Amino acid sequence: MEDAEATDVTAKSFLDLGVVDVLASACEQLKWKVPTKIQKEAIPVALSGRDVIGLAETGSGKTGAFALPILQALLQAPQRLFALVLTPTRELAYQISEQFEALGSSIGVKCAVIVGGMDMMTQAIMLGKKPHIIVATPGRLVDHLENTKGFSLRSVKYLVMDEADRILNMDFESEVDKILKVIPRERRTYLYSATMTKKVQKLQRASLVDPVKVEVSNKYQTVATLQQSYIFIPAKYKDVYLVYILNELAGNSFMVFCSTCANTQRIALLLRNMGFTAIPLHGQMSQAKRLGALNKFKSKDRSILIATDVASRGLDIPHVDVVLNLDIPTHSKDYLHRVGRTARAGRSGKAITFVSQYDVELYQRIEYLINQKLPLYKTEEQEVMQLMERVTEAQRIAKMEMNDAVDKRKKRKARDDDDKEDTEESRGIRKQT
């Protein structure tokens, strides 16, 4: 494996990198004026027909780095079922598909998104129409390979694995192996990962042929335009400090990270009771609700998105001004992905991490990882304590609302079970047995 020599850094535009006119003008329409660092390094290598392993952090423009070469190759030799992109999460799959369609709008590129949580039959019909690009999560794709008649990946010319470290961390290893077995050997492969783990190295050996390594992520680094700080407070005051900071920085868009789905839901209710426009995004929501929540936040209907780490990787949410780590991440690398939501593409942003008496060790790990000591965020304690009464009341209401929701679910489940018993009774099954 060779490292890509720093390609001619004077490459000012996509045309200089060898991208054809049609696609270069599509980039302009998307307001991509200058190629990002990863695009400058990866695109020329990919266009020359080599396999690429790219180490790049989120927000570095890596989707463009693999989408453009694939679309260019598709232009030269048009065929259906041309490329397969594997991603760890559903949201990321939709996002990649959106970018492919936006870049390929003038040449009529058709994409299919194949992810869990959606109807298998509808997806099978989409696959039957033979799209050019399939963007999939490994689990659901394997379901289709095993159960959907007439669907195969035999004609695929390009395979992309995006956020490979996460695909493997989420235990999709056996699915990826199955996919690699049924996909042609004669193909180009692009592997992108934020971190180079042992598992990723193993996958690289299994799937890439003489790849060129393209690296833009320096050893765990956060972007220079990001102002990071922390506040050190007792755990019981987290909510009231959160409300204080949201008031203090009002007018910005926020992403608040929690460690559990329940806490995400609770904080969303609490903030709504205080009059904030907050919206939750977590793993227990249905696919349609998740996409709905994301779109509301993207269209600026809601200014506060409260999310778990599921939502934190790879989502291109265009305008997050402030990231708040309400619950500190247990894996310090997740910190990078969380704060990678803001200060993207050269804009500036803020990240504030809440550190309670229980989080000191985790916090020290983060400082060690990013190799910098963060400043303390200044707060006015008197102003915070004035909010205490209202926040306590909102906490109480949120708790009641959470309990009501649980009760409703239990009642619904009981009702469904009763219905089942009734139908069995009416069929006379009881009597027979």
Side-chain angles (χ1 to χ4, degrees):
M1 180 172 71
E2 58 189 88
D3 286 354
E5 291 303 313
T7 334
D8 181 14
V9 183
T10 53
K12 294 281 188 302
S13 69
F14 286 98
L15 286 169
D16 297 341
L17 296 177
V19 176
V20 291
D21 293 355
V22 190
L23 295 173
S25 56
C27 293
E28 264 170 47
Q29 283 170 343
L30 286 179
K31 304 273 189 292
W32 295 3
K33 293 189 176 61
V34 188
T36 65
K37 215 166 150 193
I38 185 84
Q39 289 165 352
K40 279 182 190 164
E41 303 238 343
I43 291 175
V45 174
L47 290 176
S48 71
R50 299 284 298 275
D51 282 4
V52 175
I53 175 157
L55 291 184
E57 46 209 280
T58 43
S60 59
K62 57 180 180 214
T63 311
F66 61 73
L68 287 167
I70 289 176
L71 291 171
Q72 190 149 322
L74 181 61
L75 271 173
Q76 286 157 2
Q79 68 154 63
R80 297 285 174 163
L81 295 178
F82 186 70
L84 167 67
V85 183
L86 294 180
T87 78
T89 63
R90 307 166 185 187
E91 288 82 5
L92 188 56
Y94 280 100
Q95 201 176 294
I96 289 174
S97 157
E98 273 171 24
Q99 290 217 338
F100 263 107
E101 287 185 336
L103 286 168
S105 57
S106 56
I107 53 175
V109 169
K110 295 278 178 286
C111 277
V113 178
I114 305 297
V115 293
M118 294 300 203
D119 178 50
M120 281 279 284
M121 220 33 239
T122 320
Q123 289 178 347
I125 294 166
M126 274 169 31
L127 291 171
K129 289 181 180 160
K130 296 205 167 22
H132 300 107
I133 317 279
I134 297 174
V135 188
T137 48
R140 178 53 66 96
L141 186 67
V142 168
D143 283 352
H144 280 290
L145 285 168
E146 289 171 350
N147 303 314
T148 300
K149 277 207 169 70
F151 169 57
S152 86
L153 296 170
R154 278 196 291 275
S155 65
V156 168
K157 296 283 183 286
Y158 281 80
L159 169 68
V160 180
M161 287 174 274
D162 192 21
E163 305 241 340
D165 48 351
R166 274 191 80 210
I167 292 180
L168 299 172
N169 280 350
M170 291 165 78
D171 287 337
F172 281 133
E173 271 179 88
S174 61
E175 282 87 347
V176 172
D177 286 344
K178 281 180 187 163
I179 293 164
L180 288 174
K181 282 199 181 87
V182 298
I183 194 169
R185 280 266 160 93
E186 296 297 311
R187 59 159 200 270
R188 295 274 62 86
T189 310
Y190 304 143
L191 182 87
Y192 279 87
S193 176
T195 51
M196 192 57 170
T197 58
K198 291 228 165 51
K199 284 180 175 175
V200 175
Q201 284 173 334
K202 193 175 141 195
L203 177 64
Q204 174 205 319
R205 286 195 295 273
S207 60
L208 282 87
V209 181
D210 184 28
V212 178
K213 185 177 181 188
V214 175
E215 190 166 3
V216 293
S217 51
N218 312 351
K219 183 96 178 103
Y220 307 119
Q221 224 183 17
T222 46
V223 203
T225 49
L226 172 67
Q227 303 168 355
Q228 306 173 75
S229 51
Y230 76 100
I231 58 175
F232 187 51
I233 45 167
K236 63 179 176 186
Y237 293 133
K238 268 187 181 180
D239 292 359
V240 70
Y241 271 90
L242 172 66
V243 172
Y244 167 78
I245 286 177
L246 291 174
N247 277 330
E248 183 92 335
L249 301 174
N252 288 312
S253 59
F254 296 90
M255 201 157 172
V256 181
F257 282 104
C258 301
S259 52
T260 63
C261 296
N263 203 25
T264 308
Q265 200 61 39
R266 185 185 71 82
I267 295 288
L269 292 169
L270 175 125
L271 292 178
R272 279 182 199 164
N273 288 326
M274 302 270 312
F276 290 100
T277 54
I279 193 160
L281 178 74
H282 55 72
Q284 283 173 2
M285 290 161 68
S286 70
Q287 186 60 29
K289 273 193 177 155
R290 282 200 220 180
L291 289 171
L294 261 180
N295 288 334
K296 273 185 185 160
F297 185 68
K298 276 185 172 176
S299 62
K300 303 198 167 127
D301 271 1
R302 301 282 187 279
S303 58
I304 304 167
L305 181 68
I306 300 145
T308 52
D309 279 313
V310 168
S312 89
R313 294 266 311 243
L315 285 194
D316 194 12
I317 298 165
H319 58 278
V320 183
D321 305 316
V322 185
V323 168
L324 300 175
N325 290 309
L326 186 65
D327 294 330
I328 202 162
T330 36
H331 300 295
S332 23
K333 284 179 191 167
D334 281 338
Y335 175 80
L336 293 178
H337 289 286
R338 288 183 180 190
V339 301
R341 302 294 98 227
T342 182
R344 288 168 90 91
R347 290 194 292 264
S348 63
K350 276 194 176 70
I352 304 169
T353 302
F354 288 64
V355 185
S356 76
Q357 65 272 42
Y358 309 116
D359 308 324
V360 178
E361 191 192 338
L362 288 170
Y363 177 68
Q364 285 168 334
R365 276 190 213 164
I366 290 171
E367 287 199 323
Y368 175 73
L369 180 83
I370 58 175
N371 195 17
Q372 60 191 96
K373 285 261 179 279
L374 300 188
L376 191 66
Y377 183 81
K378 292 197 169 40
T379 51
E380 294 293 333
E381 201 170 328
Q382 276 173 317
E383 288 180 28
V384 177
M385 288 309 144
Q386 282 169 356
L387 291 164
M388 199 65 209
E389 202 172 318
R390 283 179 59 210
V391 172
T392 313
E393 178 61 10
Q395 281 172 329
R396 192 180 63 78
I397 299 171
K399 197 168 183 185
M400 277 162 43
E401 286 174 339
M402 292 274 287
N403 291 342
D404 287 352
V406 171
D407 289 347
K408 263 189 199 152
R409 273 205 298 273
K410 279 183 184 162
K411 276 181 189 154
R412 203 179 304 135
K413 192 171 183 304
R415 206 170 48 238
D416 292 349
D417 290 350
D418 285 354
D419 289 351
K420 269 186 203 158
E421 287 198 355
D422 291 350
T423 50
E424 285 179 356
E425 196 90 313
S426 61
R427 287 183 194 148
I429 289 177
R430 287 278 168 82
K431 289 168 192 150
Q432 291 168 16
T433 49

